[in-house]
Amino acid sequence: MELRHLSGFVAVAEELHFGRAAERLHIAQSPLSQQIRLLERDLGVRLFDRTTRSVQLTAAGQALLEPARRLLAEASAARRTVQAAHLGEVGRVTLGFAGASSYSALPVLTRAVTSEHPGIELVLEGQTYAGEALGRIAEGSLDLGFVALPVRRGVGARVVRMEQLQLALPDSHPLADRAEVAFAELAREPFVTFPLSRGSAVREAMMQACHEAGFAPRIAQEAPDAYTMLALVGAGVGLAVVVESARNIQLEHVVFRPLAGDDVPVLPIALGWRSGNQSAALAAVLRVADRVLPTPADFHG
């Protein structure tokens, strides 16, 4: 049973919905009609009932359709894997991520890489914040990661998102009724934020903005990830300065409010990699990222 015969069978079966199959099969000498007849001869069954007016799948044809689709998909995946191996596009790529920005971008990238390069294994390392990711990329223990700008020498980077800071607070908080909140109004509030030791760009931007507003923020508790941080906000432990993508995390009793002012920090989120990394697998992942995570039009750097 040849794949090209199966491919012809699936093509005709799918065209039944559009009324084109009958004409194609009734042309006895057409390549497609010959493929179907050879497949029927090989299997020893009729796959289509043909009349002068219509073509219908037989019970045997209906039974074959889904297995045939799976076989063709597996053959296509095998072909891509072999071609990837020939080009050197196989292997492992370690990717560090943390925070709401990477939660939005990561599925887009991983699905595209898995589909286009089945020979590449993406090893995802969570809770790898921007500062930590940058250090590990530079030392060679991480291939790729979401980092903040500027990056250090020897590390390449491309911006994939622009994130404006916002305020997350309990829905029972007095400021929850406001359309927007200024940093200066938060001087006496407790904060929940990411750990100091992990190099969070969001935490650094929050600390800087608070200092510019004339106060040092009081950290009530640190959280290892965005979901936990927002859960603590909903529990009334404190307020949190988050990126706009955090709105995608829906938790009860948590609301988001814009921060007032024309100088609210906007964070460029970038993919970073070591410039000297010669991995063909990494190069393939970066090509996919260029297409599915383009640099935002509002980034001017």
Side-chain angles (χ1 to χ4, degrees):
M1 183 165 48
E2 296 187 21
L3 287 177
R4 63 190 178 95
H5 297 163
L6 277 180
S7 179
F9 163 73
V10 171
V12 171
E14 291 178 345
E15 285 188 358
L16 285 174
H17 296 287
F18 302 100
R20 296 194 298 264
E23 180 180 352
R24 297 183 71 182
L25 280 185
H26 285 149
I27 302 175
Q29 300 306 314
S30 71
L32 184 58
S33 181
Q34 291 178 22
Q35 288 179 17
I36 299 299
R37 293 184 185 282
L38 287 172
L39 181 60
E40 289 177 326
R41 184 184 305 168
D42 185 31
L43 294 173
V45 298
R46 281 189 304 107
L47 299 173
F48 294 95
D49 279 329
R50 305 167 179 85
T51 70
T52 56
R53 294 185 177 181
S54 67
V55 173
Q56 298 292 331
L57 280 170
T58 64
Q62 292 173 349
L64 177 62
L65 185 55
E66 284 307 314
R69 284 171 173 159
R70 287 196 297 270
L71 280 171
L72 291 172
E74 290 171 0
S76 178
R79 185 179 296 108
R80 292 196 302 271
T81 300
V82 171
Q83 291 171 344
H86 175 68
L87 297 173
E89 295 171 357
V90 293
R92 300 169 74 251
V93 173
T94 53
L95 172 58
F97 69 98
S101 295
S102 57
Y103 296 167
S104 299
L106 191 65
V108 177
L109 178 59
T110 56
R111 289 173 184 174
V113 171
T114 301
S115 173
E116 298 177 30
H117 300 287
I120 294 177
E121 178 189 6
L122 276 179
V123 181
L124 306 180
E125 301 191 13
Q127 297 186 18
T128 307
Y129 292 91
E132 180 182 358
L134 186 58
R136 290 187 56 194
I137 289 169
E139 71 184 17
S141 64
L142 189 70
D143 295 314
L144 190 62
F146 291 92
V147 301
L149 301 182
V151 296
R152 64 182 66 180
R153 186 175 182 179
V155 174
R158 185 177 60 79
V159 172
V160 296
R161 292 185 71 88
M162 297 294 290
E163 293 278 12
Q164 188 163 34
L165 295 188
Q166 298 197 347
L167 183 67
L169 64 165
D171 57 6
S172 58
H173 195 283
L175 293 174
D177 294 330
R178 300 278 296 279
E180 59 182 18
V181 181
F183 269 104
E185 299 177 89
L186 306 177
R188 297 183 180 277
E189 298 289 344
F191 284 84
V192 179
T193 188
F194 295 119
L196 174 63
S197 60
R198 304 301 291 275
S200 165
V202 175
R203 174 171 175 145
E204 291 181 7
M206 180 269 290
M207 297 292 290
Q208 181 63 34
C210 289
H211 283 299
E212 291 177 359
F215 69 97
R218 177 166 61 91
I219 307 301
Q221 191 166 334
E222 293 181 339
D225 55 68
Y227 187 92
T228 302
M229 185 166 66
L230 291 177
L232 292 172
V233 170
V237 175
L239 313 186
V241 174
V242 298
V243 293
E244 190 173 5
S245 291
R247 287 178 173 270
N248 296 325
I249 304 174
Q250 298 293 322
L251 291 178
E252 291 186 5
H253 310 302
V254 177
V255 296
F256 300 89
R257 294 293 178 264
L259 289 160
D262 297 330
D263 56 349
V264 176
V266 177
L267 298 182
I269 307 301
L271 273 177
W273 62 92
R274 185 166 56 85
S275 301
N277 192 331
Q278 299 298 312
S279 166
L282 174 61
V285 172
L286 289 175
R287 286 195 295 272
V288 174
D290 285 344
R291 190 182 74 258
V292 301
L293 297 176
T295 298
D298 56 347
F299 172 69
H300 304 288

